[in-house]
Amino acid sequence: MSDAPSFGFDTLQIHAGSRPDPATGARQTPIYQTTAYVFRDAEHAAALFNLQEVGYIYSRLTNPTVAVLQERVATLEGGAGAVCCSSGHAAQIMALFPLMGPGKNVVVSTRLYGGTVTQFSQTIKRFGWSAKFVDFDDTDAVAAAIDDDTRAVFCESIANPGGYITDLKAIAKVADAAGLPLIVDNTSATPYLCRPIEHGATLVVHSLTKYLTGNGTVTGGVVVDSGTFDWAASGKFPSLSEPEPAYHGLKFAETFGPLAFTFHGIAIGLRDLGMTLNPQAAHYTLMGIETLSLRMERHVQNAVEVAGWLEGHDAVAGVTYAGLPSSPYHGRVKTICPKGAGGLFTVKLKGGYEACVKFVDSLEIFSHVANLGDTRSLVIHSASTTHRQLTPEQQEAAGAAPDVVRISIGIEDAKDLIADLDQALAKASA
Ligand SMILES: *Cc1c(COP(=O)(O)O)cnc(C)c1O
């Protein structure tokens, strides 16, 4: 089918990017479990290697199963193109890699996935890059943090784990005024609940590991490019605007226009960093995406019901879920994620750290795991696990204080989830 934008989300999540297999007519996208592809002749091979012709060379760069997934996610996000990679964290490096260089910085929100805080505050320093952490509710502070060496602005749409929603339009305006790309991690929201490009994002990154696959079988990531940023305008992005020596002086921005970032991601990023998604993983994610809207609707419906119930419980000091009227971010749901605030929130227990540990250990349906966005309900005590490497101030800012438990609500029966939480809270406060 042609992926006309007039098709609805439910149609596109099943059909975008996929066609019956030209060789066999297979209706489901085959898993092209192959490393290499036979060239028609030496001339064809040379044209592929020079990027004069688009085609398959070697699966570190491109693979037909992965290509279907790239087109599907790009379509659902309203982007021009996408590059899949081996994890959500790989996607973050892949997004920054063409933009950054030694001495350059990225201005980032304090409210991020714990692993992202560590990646940005520690690991990227080894590349000579740095991150400036700012409260993204304070747009003046975001603007003030941007300097001549800033190359991007980065935040999450719905931030993990605190139930925080970023005012993407306001942040996009700040990035725009500075001539910088805004990168949005849309993992917790998914394109069903939030489409950051419509709010002004340049790039969208995802951990495919979470809701997009949806059942805890895959580690993967993707970078979606809006195709709208002018990489040549400021001279700040030479990797995209200047001649590339490894491709005979080709300029990505000039040659590929709105697909410059995507082609660079494949031809340089995947080729040289090697953070490739395997076709088997792409297959599982394609299966998952077919039911994305149905799952997200149920995640949201259950989260509203369970969070509302928890908020009224005696042992509970507070629930941070933007889907509840009590949340300071409730007002942003309407504009940023009108179909709901997702399935992720934290609950603060009056009994503090001890009660949190007992609560997590007493749950039966909920699994205690370092994951989220599964059909199964999951729980984790962030302060002793995912956010363990953070300072107390960073934990607090990220919504992962020691008296807080993160809950990822699955798509089971809400009444069973509530019964399980009830018995565990009774044990935790005994
Ligand atoms: C899980 C997650 C990541 C990292 O993804 P991996 O696939 O585990 O590397 C990044 N951002 C958010 C919001 C996440 O939830």
Side-chain angles (χ1 to χ4, degrees):
M1 67 179 254
S2 69
D3 302 328
S6 58
F7 286 119
F9 192 95
D10 291 351
T11 304
L12 292 172
Q13 72 186 354
I14 294 168
H15 292 285
S18 96
R19 295 146 197 101
D21 181 50
T24 63
R27 178 58 275 206
Q28 191 49 274
T29 300
I31 304 167
Y32 287 90
Q33 196 70 48
T34 183
T35 307
Y37 308 83
V38 178
F39 306 123
R40 286 195 304 272
D41 51 35
E43 201 181 327
H44 176 222
L48 291 175
F49 273 92
N50 279 342
L51 298 184
Q52 288 156 337
E53 189 177 329
V54 177
Y56 297 101
I57 299 175
Y58 186 67
S59 282
R60 176 161 23 86
L61 289 85
T62 47
N63 173 279
T65 313
V66 176
V68 172
L69 177 58
Q70 287 171 163
E71 192 173 335
R72 185 156 315 163
V73 179
T75 304
L76 295 178
E77 286 287 3
V83 182
C84 283
C85 46
S86 54
S87 72
H89 271 1
Q92 291 164 198
I93 296 296
M94 289 279 293
L96 290 173
F97 180 66
L99 315 180
M100 301 285 279
K104 307 306 178 206
N105 68 73
V106 53
V107 170
V108 309
S109 172
T110 49
R111 299 180 184 89
L112 296 173
Y113 177 72
T116 306
V117 175
T118 307
Q119 187 186 55
F120 286 174
S121 62
Q122 308 295 333
T123 306
I124 64 170
K125 285 187 202 160
R126 311 265 182 105
F127 304 141
W129 310 349
S130 63
K132 297 186 183 185
F133 288 83
V134 184
D135 176 356
F136 269 42
D137 274 343
D138 185 349
T139 46
D140 291 342
V142 177
I146 292 172
D147 62 29
D148 286 346
D149 290 323
T150 304
R151 290 296 177 268
V153 176
F154 185 102
C155 62
E156 296 179 8
S157 48
I158 301 179
N160 172 359
Y164 167 87
I165 295 179
T166 307
D167 185 351
L168 295 177
K169 265 204 171 72
I171 298 297
K173 218 164 129 188
V174 173
D176 228 31
L180 295 174
L182 170 63
I183 307 172
V184 176
D185 181 339
N186 200 32
T187 299
S188 304
T190 81
Y192 182 66
L193 299 180
C194 176
R195 305 220 314 160
I197 290 170
E198 289 174 359
H199 299 290
T202 306
L203 304 175
V204 177
V205 296
H206 276 282
S207 168
L208 299 171
T209 316
K210 314 294 171 50
Y211 293 106
L212 289 181
T213 305
N215 50 33
T217 51
V218 160
T219 305
V222 64
V223 186
V224 182
D225 178 20
S226 63
T228 57
F229 195 87
D230 183 351
W231 300 109
S234 67
K236 286 182 175 174
F237 305 102
S239 297
L240 292 156
S241 65
E242 297 305 310
E244 169 58 48
Y247 285 105
H248 311 298
L250 173 143
K251 296 179 186 172
F252 280 90
E254 192 181 281
T255 307
F256 299 110
L259 284 170
F261 194 94
T262 301
F263 270 88
H264 190 278
I266 293 167
I268 306 282
L270 291 181
R271 187 197 65 182
D272 296 345
L273 300 176
M275 303 165 165
T276 305
L277 187 73
N278 67 78
Q280 186 85 34
H283 166 74
Y284 287 131
T285 304
L286 283 166
M287 296 299 93
I289 288 181
E290 292 190 350
T291 58
L292 180 65
S293 64
L294 306 177
R295 288 184 286 108
M296 294 316 292
E297 269 172 19
R298 179 64 72 86
H299 280 297
V300 167
Q301 188 187 323
N302 279 356
V304 168
E305 195 170 335
V306 173
W309 177 85
L310 277 169
E311 194 172 44
H313 195 285
D314 280 348
V316 171
V319 177
T320 58
Y321 181 54
L324 294 178
S326 58
S327 164
Y329 299 105
H330 190 62
R332 287 185 187 165
V333 175
K334 267 199 307 291
T335 50
I336 305 296
C337 46
K339 295 200 187 91
L344 201 63
F345 57 83
T346 64
V347 54
K348 184 175 182 160
L349 298 189
K350 288 178 184 162
Y353 186 96
E354 289 305 318
C356 288
V357 171
K358 212 182 279 178
F359 173 61
V360 165
D361 283 344
S362 305
L363 286 161
E364 287 166 12
I365 296 176
F366 286 78
S367 305
H368 185 197
V369 299
N371 192 17
L372 60 94
D374 197 325
T375 50
R376 273 152 281 272
S377 289
L378 310 174
V379 69
I380 196 160
H381 185 224
S382 303
S384 61
T385 54
T386 51
H387 289 62
R388 191 184 183 85
Q389 312 299 336
L390 275 54
T391 63
E393 294 74 33
Q394 287 175 322
Q395 287 180 345
E396 194 72 45
D403 56 352
V404 158
V405 171
R406 183 186 80 193
I407 295 184
S408 172
I409 290 292
I411 60 174
E412 303 98 329
D413 287 286
K415 70 168 176 41
D416 295 336
L417 300 179
I418 288 173
D420 192 28
L421 293 165
D422 199 27
Q423 64 81 22
L425 283 172
K427 287 183 184 137
S429 46

